[in-house]
Amino acid sequence: MIKSLIINPGSTSTKLGIFEDENLIKEETLRHSTEEISQYASITDQKDFRKNIILDFLKNENIDIKSFDVIVGRGGLLKPIPGGTYECTDALIADLQKGVQGQHASNLGGILAREIGDEIGVRSFIVDPVVVDELEPVARISGIPEIERVSIDHPLNQKAVARRYAKEHGKKYEDVNVIVVHMGGGTSCGVHKNGKMIDVFAALNGDGAFSPERTNGVPALALVDMCFSGKYTYEEMKKKIVGGGGFNAYLGTNDMRTVNKMCDEGDKKAQLVRDAFIYQICKNIGACATVLKGQVDTIILTGGIAHGKVITDAITERVGFIAPVTVYPGEDELLALAQGALRVLNGEEEAKKYE
């Protein structure tokens, strides 16, 4: 039995999971107030603060820190890398500290895992960080040479549910062709072929269907006109695209439960916007099916919005002719991180080295 401590830092919280093999023993969300976080000039400056909170929690729960066999952190904004489980090497930690693609709380995952792991003498890993990029060369061409399509989306959950589907059908992830649609605060639609995510409508980079708080694909020239209209600052335009777009912009909420309630109460605008969200998701799925030349084993719907049967049924009605639809609601990131470490420690795959 392998006992693991999973660390998933967010902007105002640190989620912890304690696993024995794949069995969740304890889960906790340690919340941090704005006042606490605002004391620190940078993300990395929060390291000792968050570490002490984690250690205090374990102590209060009478959990011996030395009882863990491995520490696993959420991966951060590293250089683009293939998917997999990565050892927390010096090079990886250095790039997390620098924030080579930006500063985000998830950068602390690997840093905390390495420090705690070193102190108790066990290995530390990150798994399938948001910068996983396995796009085929043809998928990178945007039409503007100065802009390359990249993959920054939801690889941890996308790959976890693809592996889950493969296992449930007696296969390996490398043996299936699936389309995975992650529907949460951001959306992404990924093409998984033989163990790699070879193309994606990315959640963060202005591509694909809009989401509860992101615009994603919009008419380019109209967007350029807005940017140069003089009405909006650079930061205001970024907020329109990420954070203030999508359902937030149309309906004033990023909570799909609220949107569904509005629809149930007969709000015609909410119904139209929700229908448009479903419509755009289905268009993305159809485009992804062409990448696989129609050879699709299943279409997987996942993320928090996949809890809504009205939405998953409507998507299934439109795309069920392409392939069977499988629904895995939610996103069990803690389990996905634990599974990544287990695959290495059980000898199913080798840990990758970040360079």
Side-chain angles (χ1 to χ4, degrees):
M1 181 185 69
I2 295 172
K3 187 176 182 180
S4 58
L5 172 63
I6 313 301
I7 304 171
N8 184 358
S11 57
T12 59
S13 68
T14 303
K15 292 182 182 178
L16 299 180
I18 296 171
F19 287 82
E20 291 179 350
D21 290 337
E22 293 190 12
N23 301 310
L24 178 63
I25 305 304
K26 190 158 191 71
E27 179 179 355
E28 187 73 19
T29 299
L30 307 175
R31 303 199 180 278
H32 318 308
S33 69
T34 302
E35 291 75 22
E36 288 174 316
I37 294 296
S38 63
Q39 298 177 50
Y40 303 98
S42 70
I43 293 292
T44 52
D45 289 343
Q46 300 173 22
K47 188 257 297 176
D48 290 339
F49 162 72
R50 297 211 192 208
K51 178 185 173 185
N52 290 333
I53 287 179
I54 293 169
L55 296 179
D56 286 345
F57 167 76
L58 295 174
K59 183 178 180 180
N60 291 336
E61 295 292 322
N62 295 313
I63 299 169
D64 182 3
I65 187 67
K66 294 182 179 178
S67 66
F68 292 105
D69 301 299
V70 64
I71 315 295
V72 189
R74 178 70 187 270
L77 297 178
L78 296 157
K79 293 179 291 190
I81 52 176
T85 299
Y86 284 79
E87 199 98 40
C88 290
T89 59
D90 291 346
L92 184 143
I93 298 303
D95 275 3
L96 287 176
Q97 290 171 335
K98 285 188 291 187
V100 291
Q101 286 206 72
Q103 292 292 339
H104 188 271
S106 60
N107 292 6
L108 288 168
I111 295 170
L112 289 165
R114 170 69 183 271
E115 188 161 312
I116 294 172
D118 283 356
E119 288 178 1
I120 64 174
V122 301
R123 298 172 76 181
S124 54
F125 302 106
I126 64 166
V127 182
D128 289 331
V130 294
V131 294
V132 166
D133 189 336
E134 300 168 332
L135 300 189
E136 293 185 334
V138 69
R140 299 185 185 279
I141 304 299
S142 71
I144 299 179
E146 294 88 351
I147 299 176
E148 183 178 82
R149 293 190 183 277
V150 297
S151 179
I152 299 182
D153 44 273
H154 305 100
L156 182 62
N157 189 44
Q158 284 224 12
K159 284 176 171 281
V161 295
R163 287 189 179 98
R164 175 180 170 182
Y165 169 82
K167 184 177 181 180
E168 289 178 358
H169 290 79
K171 298 178 180 180
K172 294 181 179 180
Y173 174 45
E174 292 75 16
D175 298 330
V176 298
N177 290 346
V178 299
I179 296 169
V180 182
V181 182
H182 176 103
M183 299 181 291
T187 58
S188 58
C189 186
V191 181
H192 297 250
K193 180 180 180 182
N194 303 134
K196 291 185 178 181
M197 190 161 64
I198 63 169
D199 203 349
V200 66
F201 284 100
L204 190 62
N205 218 34
D207 215 0
F210 68 86
S211 75
E213 52 188 39
R214 298 174 187 171
T215 63
N216 292 350
V218 294
L221 288 179
L223 182 62
V224 171
D225 288 342
M226 283 188 72
C227 290
F228 287 89
S229 67
K231 296 179 181 179
Y232 310 100
T233 66
Y234 172 74
E235 291 300 327
E236 286 171 339
M237 285 305 303
K238 285 183 69 174
K239 185 69 174 178
K240 279 185 172 292
I241 294 169
V242 178
F247 285 99
N248 257 343
Y250 284 102
L251 303 175
T253 180
N254 63 358
D255 190 332
M256 187 57 74
R257 293 167 299 184
T258 301
V259 174
N260 289 336
K261 185 172 183 292
M262 293 167 72
C263 292
D264 292 342
E265 293 172 351
D267 187 317
K268 298 299 184 184
K269 182 179 180 181
Q271 291 170 358
L272 177 61
V273 174
R274 188 178 69 178
D275 286 347
F277 169 75
I278 293 166
Y279 182 82
Q280 290 187 15
I281 290 286
C282 293
K283 286 174 70 176
N284 291 173
I285 293 169
C288 287
T290 68
V291 176
L292 294 171
K293 300 179 181 178
Q295 301 302 304
V296 184
D297 293 309
T298 194
I299 298 161
I300 300 174
L301 306 179
T302 186
I305 293 174
H307 283 290
K309 194 171 184 299
V310 170
I311 291 173
T312 57
D313 283 353
I315 294 172
T316 300
E317 183 181 2
R318 278 191 179 269
V319 303
F321 73 95
I322 297 171
V325 176
T326 304
V327 181
Y328 294 136
E331 47 181 308
D332 201 341
E333 293 178 337
L334 296 177
L335 175 60
L337 291 167
Q339 289 171 330
L342 285 172
R343 288 193 295 273
V344 170
L345 297 179
N346 289 332
E348 297 174 37
E349 62 183 59
E350 291 186 8
K352 293 185 175 179
K353 302 295 183 184
Y354 179 85
E355 296 175 346

